[in-house]
Amino acid sequence: MAHESNGAIYTAAGANLAIAAAKFVGAFFTGSSAMLAEGVHSLVDTANQILLLVGLSRAKKPADARFPFGYGREVYFYAFIVALFIFLGGGAFAVYEGIHKIHYPEASADAVIFGRTIPGFWVNLSILGFAVLAEGYSCAVALKAFWAEKGDREAITAIRRSKDPALFTVLIEDVAALLGLMVALAGVILAEWLQMPSLDGWSSIGIGAILIGMALFLMIETHGLLVGEAAAPETVAAIEETVRTEPGVRHVNAVLTQHLGPSDILVNVSLDMEDDLKAGEVEAMVGRLDARLKARNPAVKRVFIEIQAKENSPRVRS
């Protein structure tokens, strides 16, 4: 799914850069706290997409003596950095800016553009409307790529089990951005309608809360991948089924898997073999299993098979 991830990331980066520029212009002319918070959020999102692209690029580096299993986990590291950036650069800043605006409320200033005065309310509304359209398109692209990956699973289950953080990070960012824009629109409209500029600050805090919640969720999801998360249960079950059907296998002691990247699975199998098998037959069996497992799931890149008596096999808690 790498090409889907890249397409969604490039779309999101372009949209966020255009949105950030528009929001900063609006914040400069009107002094809107929510608009400034949204501008920083979009700028952080643009930097995040660049980081994800760097991670995807570095993950493609071939294995070497220093990293014999390759660099696949680079994308997990950069996804975790992205979550930190969202927490600090987006969420924390938005909360700070909102608190400041609540203590020192100011009505949106009118903008003078080409000698013509335009009410700040309409400037903010126009920019936020443009942002909703651009972010909505970016979110649609990310959703299309995500839907192609998730299959029949529920969306939240697919995110929890996905091993491609680049894709679900962009999707969650886009959804959070749309929610933030809704909050910003509500703050701008209510502040104007009720003549309460402090509501602009409260909407900024609301945006910050959304970003912080999203960042914490992404940190939890990428943490497991960084530490060394197993393949999906159905993948492990398929591996075990393939191994059990191999002649000469008395017992499957353990099937240990680990994702070294979104499409790079390490498999370690412990088997108890029939005692009357000759060394050549065991060697041939190991070769067949290696080929069968890789053919059944292209993401399986490395297979290690250990021949052990059942009583001496590793024990793995589920």
Side-chain angles (χ1 to χ4, degrees):
M1 302 299 295
H3 60 289
E4 285 88 349
S5 296
N6 285 355
I9 294 171
Y10 282 121
T11 301
N16 281 316
L17 191 59
I19 293 169
K23 288 174 181 175
F24 281 129
V25 169
F28 175 78
F29 281 116
T30 65
S32 169
S33 176
M35 187 67 70
L36 180 61
E38 275 291 308
V40 172
H41 170 202
S42 295
L43 194 61
V44 169
D45 279 354
T46 304
N48 288 342
Q49 271 99 52
I50 294 172
L51 283 173
L52 288 174
L53 289 171
V54 170
L56 287 170
S57 176
R58 290 182 61 84
K60 295 176 182 177
K61 291 174 61 178
D64 53 34
R66 187 180 178 193
F67 294 96
F69 291 108
Y71 292 79
R73 282 184 180 166
E74 287 272 13
V75 69
Y76 299 154
F77 169 75
Y78 280 93
F80 191 81
I81 296 299
V82 163
L84 286 176
F85 271 31
I86 295 170
F87 184 91
L88 298 173
F93 176 82
V95 171
Y96 167 79
E97 184 65 23
I99 293 173
H100 180 269
K101 189 62 179 280
I102 290 171
H103 284 108
Y104 305 98
E106 294 180 10
S108 295
D110 295 339
V112 179
I113 302 175
F114 299 117
R116 185 174 180 178
T117 300
I118 301 176
F121 170 72
W122 292 110
V123 173
N124 288 335
L125 214 58
S126 300
I127 292 172
L128 288 173
F130 164 73
V132 168
L133 292 176
E135 202 68 66
Y137 174 73
S138 174
C139 190
V141 172
L143 270 173
K144 181 180 178 182
F146 176 72
W147 237 251
E149 181 187 87
K150 86 176 188 68
D152 297 329
R153 292 175 293 186
E154 295 291 332
I156 189 64
T157 302
I159 291 174
R160 297 299 303 271
R161 291 189 178 181
S162 175
K163 312 304 178 184
D164 186 356
L167 183 55
F168 69 69
T169 296
V170 171
L171 175 62
I172 293 173
E173 273 188 348
D174 285 344
V175 171
L178 283 173
L179 291 174
L181 287 168
M182 295 300 105
V183 173
L185 275 169
V188 168
I189 293 172
L190 289 175
E192 176 72 15
W193 184 36
L194 301 175
Q195 292 299 300
M196 294 178 61
S198 61
L199 291 177
D200 187 46
W202 283 110
S203 69
S204 182
I205 291 177
I207 293 167
I210 291 171
L211 295 178
I212 288 172
M214 178 190 70
L216 291 174
F217 177 79
L218 289 175
M219 286 179 189
I220 292 170
E221 290 305 306
T222 53
H223 168 262
L225 295 169
L226 269 175
V227 171
E229 196 168 295
E234 56 267 27
T235 301
V236 176
I239 292 171
E240 186 168 350
E241 178 190 351
T242 301
V243 174
R244 286 187 188 280
T245 60
E246 184 65 31
V249 174
R250 177 189 294 172
H251 184 261
V252 179
N253 300 323
V255 175
L256 309 177
T257 62
Q258 189 174 114
H259 264 272
L260 302 178
S263 299
D264 186 352
I265 300 175
L266 168 69
V267 177
N268 189 302
V269 182
S270 171
L271 301 176
D272 186 0
M273 307 296 299
E274 298 291 348
D275 294 334
D276 58 352
L277 289 178
K278 298 178 182 179
E281 293 174 321
V282 173
E283 184 178 343
M285 180 275 297
V286 169
R288 285 195 305 272
L289 273 180
D290 182 90
R292 290 177 63 194
L293 291 174
K294 290 176 180 177
R296 183 162 185 175
N297 189 338
V300 174
K301 298 295 192 293
R302 299 167 184 83
V303 178
F304 297 92
I305 298 176
E306 299 178 83
I307 310 302
Q308 297 174 295
K310 181 179 179 180
E311 57 271 16
N312 297 327
S313 64
R315 297 288 183 265
V316 180
R317 290 187 298 177
S318 59

